[in-house]
Amino acid sequence: EFKKEHSDLSADFDEVYRDFEIGVMLREARENAGITQEELANRIHTQKTNISRLERHAEDVKLSTLRRVAEALGKRVELKLT
């Protein structure tokens, strides 16, 4: 509904939503693995604040970072272009 009324903002909305969606997927994967942000940070040699920031808003996240996080969680990254 909002997108229909504000089509000029639609592209920005989609981009922000994708960033949010990535963060949610990362948080859910971490929680499903049963580990804390601190444990994940230790596994990929970073700070807990970086994991928190990534889960809250994953804009401009590097593919290499996604791969490190996925590996630490026993997962893999799949990229799909549509």
Side-chain angles (χ1 to χ4, degrees):
E1 179 85 17
F2 176 84
K3 288 173 64 174
K4 289 179 186 176
E5 293 177 17
H6 303 280
S7 60
D8 56 324
L9 302 175
S10 182
D12 290 338
F13 176 83
D14 288 342
E15 185 175 332
V16 169
Y17 180 77
R18 279 191 302 272
D19 295 341
F20 172 76
E21 187 177 36
I22 290 170
V24 169
M25 287 189 304
L26 293 173
R27 179 180 49 82
E28 287 177 351
R30 177 185 56 75
E31 289 174 346
N32 289 338
I35 65 172
T36 65
Q37 289 181 341
E38 181 101 27
E39 289 173 295
L40 178 56
N42 289 335
R43 289 183 186 189
I44 66 169
H45 309 290
T46 191
Q47 296 179 349
K48 177 185 176 280
T49 55
N50 293 330
I51 301 300
S52 177
R53 187 179 312 116
L54 186 61
E55 291 180 356
R56 281 194 324 269
H57 42 76
E59 71 270 354
D60 294 330
V61 62
K62 292 181 180 181
L63 186 54
S64 60
T65 300
L66 287 176
R67 284 185 179 145
R68 286 189 1 244
V69 169
E71 286 178 14
L73 297 173
K75 303 286 185 186
R76 61 189 175 101
V77 173
E78 290 183 7
L79 181 64
K80 182 179 178 182
L81 300 176
T82 58

